[in-house]
Amino acid sequence: MSEADSKKEPLQPPASEPTPAVETAKPAKPAPSRPASANAGGKSLAALALLVGLGGVALGGYGLWQLKQLGASEDRQLEALQSTGEQTRQLAERERELAARLGRLEQLPSASELEERRRLLATLQSDQQRLSGRVEQVLGASREEWRLAEAEHLLRMAMLQLSAMQDIKSAEMLVHEADLILQKQDDPGAYGTRQKLLEGLEALRSLPELDRTGLFLQLGALRGQSNQLSALAPEFVNGEAVPENAQDSRWQRWLNELTRYVRVDFDAGGDVKPLLAGQTLGQVRLALSLAIEQAQWAVLNGNTKVYRQSLEQASAVLKDHFSEDNGQARGLRERLEALSLREVEVTLPDLAPALQALQAYVQKRERRDEGPASEASSQPETQTEAQEAERT
């Protein structure tokens, strides 16, 4: 409300204050008409001012809203400008990439050159496959040749063991290994060679087992015992005293006393051995040791004749110089006689036919492998000539 309205309106007493009592008898005076018109004009003026204020507030709010919208639009335009710049930069990079790719594409060969290169690549691959096949074939053949050469070497070693050392067990193992190599070849052409090898192998297996090393060591132990032999010293046992008789003469009593110390046996059946002592006993031991050493040499060389002669000689030395009462000499002689019955020599089989059959098989296999190798070597040459003709 305006100040005019406040002036024209009568002052109202406050609610808390008591209102004076108005007399009901007096009638109320009618209000004058002029103040009423002035009050209506003030109200209209106040309403107009209020409308003007509201319009100003609305106009200010609209202006502020327009400013916010303009700032937001500027922000959006700035963001769009930035995104446009980024897209422009990306487009420039893509253009550069496309230009580089186009440059590389321009450097690529033409379709005819590509076709020529593709044909050359196919030719190279086929040549490489043929070359790898030939290499595998050559390596496989060389491995088989090495195995066959190993079998031949084993067979030669077996023959050397038999001829030089007469070692049957070692020769049997070597021949068996050679037969296993031929078995792994899985070649029907090796049938005859394997037959010869198996014949020699079975001949070795049928031989009696000879333990020459054990026999040599046994003779060495007996030779050590021979160096410890000693002769038995003769012992004299006094005879029983004859009871004296008063009727015997002095001569008879003296003869009876002498028979206790001296005996003469005219019917003796045993041989009287010489008394060995000192140098004589050493010579007998040396002769016995040399005879046993000769038997050991015969064992190592497989000489049955020399072996048995040496043991017979040793037994004769013991028999001639030592009596039967000497238990040590008797046991040594019995042991030598038992060893003289052992075999030190056998008839060895001949492995030469097996070796000849193996050599013939190896030569036949080499000739058979040379044929396909020459054909395979000539085939790539013809193919390369045909390719060169096509290119021209």
Side-chain angles (χ1 to χ4, degrees), residues 89-300:
R89 186 178 60 80
Q90 291 179 358
L91 288 174
E93 291 180 356
R94 290 182 179 180
E95 287 180 357
R96 287 195 297 272
E97 291 178 358
L98 289 174
R101 291 181 180 178
L102 288 175
R104 289 194 297 269
L105 288 175
E106 290 176 356
Q107 296 176 358
L108 292 176
S110 61
S112 60
E113 293 178 353
L114 288 176
E115 184 65 25
E116 180 67 19
R117 293 183 181 182
R118 188 179 297 108
R119 188 177 60 81
L120 291 176
L121 180 60
T123 305
L124 180 61
Q125 289 179 351
S126 61
D127 293 341
Q128 185 178 3
Q129 290 178 357
R130 286 194 299 271
L131 180 61
S132 62
R134 288 184 59 192
V135 169
E136 292 179 357
Q137 182 180 4
V138 170
L139 290 179
S142 61
R143 281 194 295 266
E144 293 177 357
E145 290 176 358
W146 293 341
R147 295 291 291 171
L148 292 175
E150 182 182 359
E152 183 178 354
H153 176 68
L154 291 175
L155 192 55
R156 290 182 181 275
M157 288 294 296
M159 296 176 64
L160 182 61
Q161 289 287 337
L162 288 178
S163 61
M165 303 181 63
Q166 296 184 356
D167 190 355
I168 299 174
K169 287 296 183 181
S170 299
E172 179 182 345
M173 292 176 60
L174 293 172
V175 175
H176 179 64
E177 290 296 330
D179 179 66
L180 288 179
I181 293 175
L182 288 179
Q183 181 182 0
K184 292 179 181 178
Q185 293 295 320
D186 195 13
D187 186 6
Y191 176 79
T193 306
R194 286 199 64 194
Q195 183 179 3
K196 294 293 183 181
L197 282 176
L198 291 176
E199 288 178 359
L201 182 60
E202 292 301 326
L204 290 173
R205 290 174 177 174
S206 62
L207 294 177
E209 184 177 358
L210 295 179
D211 188 9
R212 290 181 175 171
T213 303
L215 185 56
F216 179 84
L217 295 176
Q218 290 177 9
L219 290 174
L222 294 179
R223 185 167 59 87
Q225 293 180 9
S226 66
N227 294 327
Q228 300 175 1
L229 287 176
S230 59
L232 294 178
E235 296 180 358
F236 185 78
V237 180
N238 291 333
E240 296 180 359
V242 180
E244 295 183 357
N245 192 355
Q247 298 178 359
D248 292 338
S249 61
R250 185 187 297 264
W251 175 256
Q252 186 65 35
R253 287 195 301 269
W254 179 79
L255 183 59
N256 291 336
E257 186 67 21
L258 184 61
T259 55
R260 296 179 58 189
Y261 302 98
V262 179
R263 294 179 183 179
V264 179
D265 190 1
F266 296 99
D267 297 328
D271 295 334
V272 179
K273 305 298 180 181
L275 182 60
L276 299 177
Q279 186 177 2
T280 306
L281 181 58
Q283 292 176 354
V284 172
R285 290 176 179 174
L286 181 59
L288 186 59
S289 177
L290 290 176
I292 296 177
E293 285 183 0
Q294 190 175 6
Q296 287 180 311
W297 176 88
V299 168
L300 294 180

Side-chain angles (χ1 to χ4, degrees), residues 75-92:
D75 293 338
R76 287 193 297 272
Q77 290 179 359
L78 182 60
E79 291 179 356
L81 183 61
Q82 291 178 354
S83 62
T84 304
E86 182 67 22
Q87 291 177 358
T88 303
R89 186 178 60 80
Q90 291 179 358
L91 288 174

Side-chain angles (χ1 to χ4, degrees), residues 293-349:
E293 285 183 0
Q294 190 175 6
Q296 287 180 311
W297 176 88
V299 168
L300 294 180
N301 290 273
N303 195 331
T304 306
K305 183 178 179 180
V306 176
Y307 172 73
R308 291 181 177 171
Q309 286 179 357
S310 301
L311 293 184
E312 289 176 0
Q313 182 181 357
S315 299
V317 170
L318 290 173
K319 187 176 181 180
D320 293 339
H321 295 85
F322 295 93
S323 64
E324 292 293 333
D325 297 334
N326 192 335
Q328 186 179 8
R330 185 178 64 253
L332 182 59
R333 187 177 69 254
E334 291 176 356
R335 186 58 183 161
L336 291 176
E337 291 176 354
L339 291 179
S340 65
L341 302 178
R342 296 278 295 273
E343 293 290 339
V344 296
E345 183 182 6
V346 293
T347 303
L348 299 177

